[in-house]
Amino acid sequence: MTRDDFAAHHRAAEPLVLFNIWDAGSARAVAEAGAKAIATGSLSLAGAQGFDDGEQMPFDALLTTVRQIAGAIDLPLTVDIETGYASDLEGLVQNAVQLRDAGAIGCNLEDRVIGTEELREVSEQCDRIRAVSDAGLFVNARTDLFLGPLMAGQDPNREELVEEAIERAAHYKDAGAGGLFVPGLSDPDLIRSLCDAVDLPVNIMRLDGMASNAALGALGVARISHGPGPWRAAMQMLTDEARTHLEA
């Protein structure tokens, strides 16, 4: 499948649903469930290998896992590489090429500065999106306006944040982004406003209490991902089962 073919799966009439995985075994399980594509989550991928999120997993270890996943499935694979494991464009391009060669067709690329509460300037992030896109990957441009340390307990469902996301999305599209990822946004009216105003497929991360996939599609959402939820649920089930048997 080409990058254009993968891009064609992003449509509001039938949102692309990504049940995020963390290794080759979980990728096979989700593929067998009928997935159209496979996506990693950074926290899940790192956690499954014993690392913390936030680019604490070595990039070589990430590439090894990506190769294993790609070798176990016959579906397009998109990988969450957080901020790209590089502060400079040269390093970012090298990482993008290695990721592509490992079997990924796309990636998430965040606009925050790793380890801080800051977002990158729009022009700088556009340079980074352009570099990764030129390396051949479908860039799902993630904005951390609605999630993470930037929120610090605040309500992310605010009109001013949506307005800023709309502005960033226009620049990100011009830089070559294939989609806009807005994890943390959950208010249906604000989601609709964003989708109506943005000329990119919008990716929402499923949170507790959200509407059905079809209802989100009706709001204009073209991609629905699950982030670390599947991994956390699987690990909790494993812990519960282990406790039951160890205490028997």
Side-chain angles (χ1 to χ4, degrees):
M1 178 178 286
T2 67
R3 181 169 64 172
D4 289 343
D5 293 332
F6 180 60
H9 280 296
H10 296 69
R11 52 185 185 273
E14 189 180 353
L16 176 63
V17 179
L18 299 171
F19 197 75
N20 299 75
I21 58 88
W22 51 92
D23 60 12
S26 58
R28 277 189 171 177
V30 171
E32 290 171 2
K36 294 181 179 178
I38 297 297
T40 72
S42 64
L43 186 150
S44 312
L45 196 72
Q49 300 298 323
F51 297 99
D52 290 332
D53 198 17
E55 298 185 10
Q56 296 303 299
M57 181 179 185
F59 191 67
D60 285 345
L62 182 148
L63 289 174
T64 296
T65 305
V66 169
R67 292 188 192 99
Q68 292 169 345
I69 294 169
I73 58 172
D74 189 23
L75 289 170
L77 170 63
T78 182
V79 177
D80 186 346
I81 56 169
E82 303 186 72
T83 68
Y85 280 78
S87 58
D88 62 293
L89 288 180
E90 182 179 359
L92 182 62
V93 170
Q94 290 176 352
N95 290 346
V97 169
Q98 290 185 85
L99 186 67
R100 181 200 67 200
D101 292 347
I105 201 166
C107 68
N108 290 352
L109 188 66
E110 301 171 11
D111 60 8
R112 71 185 176 109
V113 180
I114 198 78
T116 76
E117 299 180 5
E118 300 176 0
L119 291 184
R120 294 184 187 276
E121 294 294 329
V122 171
S123 60
E124 180 186 7
Q125 185 63 10
C126 284
D127 288 341
R128 295 172 67 82
I129 290 170
R130 187 175 295 108
V132 175
S133 178
D134 287 348
L137 292 172
F138 177 99
V139 179
N140 194 38
R142 167 173 157 167
T143 180
D144 270 22
L145 282 165
F146 306 96
L147 186 70
L150 295 169
M151 284 293 94
Q154 302 178 61
D155 180 8
N157 292 293
R158 306 204 306 269
E159 289 187 7
E160 64 269 23
L161 295 180
V162 172
E163 291 171 1
E164 184 173 347
I166 290 169
E167 182 178 351
R168 281 183 173 261
H171 293 289
Y172 293 173
K173 180 180 185 298
D174 289 342
L180 177 71
F181 186 22
V182 287
L185 183 65
S186 62
D187 179 85
D189 291 334
L190 293 179
I191 290 173
R192 185 190 297 277
S193 296
L194 179 69
C195 292
D196 286 347
V198 170
D199 191 21
L200 278 173
V202 172
N203 179 186
I204 295 294
M205 185 170 73
R206 178 163 289 288
L207 302 172
D208 290 342
M210 271 190 169
S212 67
N213 293 341
L216 288 172
L219 296 176
V221 175
R223 174 165 161 167
I224 301 166
S225 53
H226 288 70
W231 180 74
R232 285 173 168 158
M235 293 303 101
Q236 186 61 58
M237 182 180 68
L238 180 62
T239 299
D240 292 345
E241 285 290 309
R243 183 177 293 114
T244 297
H245 291 282
L246 291 169
E247 295 176 352

